[in-house]
Amino acid sequence: QVQLVESGGGLVKPGGSLRLSCAASGFTFTDYYMSWIRQAPGKGLEWVSYITSSGITVNYADSVKGRFTISRDNAKNSVYLQMNSLRAEDTAVYYCARIRTALYFDDWGQGTLVTVSS
Amino acid sequence: QSVLPQPPSASGTPGQRVTISCSGSNFNIGSNPVHWYRQLPGTAPKLLMYANDQRPSGVPDRFSGSKSGTSASLAISGLQSEDEAAYYCAAWDDSLNGWVFGRGTELTVL
């Protein structure tokens, strides 16, 4: 079955950096686009970034553009989110999700918590 | 970042029918399919409905979706206590080149 396992979250100071990882299994990773979605404490869902199956095309929400970088390693069945210049408002649970052709997220990881605080 | 308006809360008694609405624009709901996710407290969201009215395997037919113009709705009939959750709509947005989510609706079964 499809499994998406995020890791790399933690406590970081404002202005700091963190790299999230998402390990995928149970499906042909190279067939799918992947995405990161976040949820601030007590708030709703916010799309963060996506990457195509080849990794050539990526895009970001305006709120993270220029600070976050998405990438993938198809040999390792993994997708990453490099987060720089972190702000308090980046505090959230970050979910990794698989994207289907009709542009929906059919499987989600369990999430990893990122806390930005001094 | 854009957020699709949804009512913050909805409620019903067991057996009732409840509808949750989601409105958008021509850039998102008006030109792309709508999807719905359900999130139980402390857990990751799960796909509930995709492409406006398609149920993933395992989702009972008590759940139905529809879309008209720039609005969409999710209906839950035969309400059960386990339906208590947060419900989010979402759609691709052509102007953002990314997804927009609804604000989320907390459903309470009285």
Side-chain angles (χ1 to χ4, degrees):
Chain A
Q1 75 281 19
V2 173
Q3 268 207 307
L4 299 169
V5 179
E6 301 94 336
S7 60
L11 175 63
V12 61
K13 288 182 167 53
S17 298
L18 215 51
R19 188 193 193 213
L20 306 183
S21 300
C22 171
S25 61
F27 64 99
T28 304
F29 186 66
T30 50
D31 284 349
Y32 292 89
Y33 293 12
M34 299 294 294
S35 186
W36 288 95
I37 298 149
R38 69 183 181 183
Q39 186 172 35
K43 302 293 185 184
L45 301 169
E46 180 189 15
W47 169 74
V48 173
S49 181
Y50 84 91
I51 186 168
T52 56
S53 49
S54 64
I56 290 174
T57 301
V58 300
N59 199 24
Y60 304 91
D62 288 343
S63 55
V64 307
K65 204 168 282 188
R67 301 186 299 122
F68 290 12
T69 303
I70 191 171
S71 62
R72 63 191 292 162
D73 185 336
N74 286 342
K76 294 184 177 179
N77 287 357
S78 293
V79 61
Y80 308 99
L81 188 67
Q82 176 67 43
M83 304 185 296
N84 298 332
S85 303
L86 282 162
R87 306 165 180 166
E89 53 265 36
D90 296 319
T91 295
V93 174
Y94 285 73
Y95 296 102
C96 163
R98 188 176 77 166
I99 302 170
R100 296 304 297 267
T101 308
L103 300 178
Y104 61 93
F105 309 108
D106 68 337
D107 279 285
W108 301 58
Q110 85 288 349
T112 187
L113 176 63
V114 171
T115 303
V116 184
S117 174
S118 53
Chain B
Q1 193 72 4
S2 299
V3 178
L4 303 175
Q6 283 183 243
S9 63
S11 62
T13 55
Q16 265 192 331
R17 185 177 188 269
V18 167
T19 301
I20 297 171
S21 61
C22 173
S23 61
S25 72
N26 288 327
F27 291 113
N28 40 68
I29 294 178
S31 51
N32 295 291
V34 177
H35 320 292
W36 292 87
Y37 302 90
R38 177 165 70 172
Q39 186 177 34
L40 298 171
T43 68
K46 287 191 74 171
L47 180 67
L48 181 68
M49 193 76 57
Y50 67 95
N52 306 324
D53 57 6
Q54 301 299 300
R55 286 187 307 276
S57 170
V59 174
D61 59 7
R62 301 187 296 107
F63 294 86
S64 62
S66 64
K67 186 183 98 165
S68 177
T70 58
S71 296
S73 63
L74 174 73
I76 310 170
S77 59
L79 206 58
Q80 300 178 4
S81 57
E82 54 261 39
D83 296 333
E84 280 205 343
Y87 293 81
Y88 295 90
C89 60
W92 174 264
D93 189 291
D94 293 332
S95 66
L96 298 174
N97 227 6
W99 285 264
V100 286
F101 281 92
R103 294 188 180 279
T105 299
E106 291 279 352
L107 175 63
T108 302
V109 181
L110 302 168

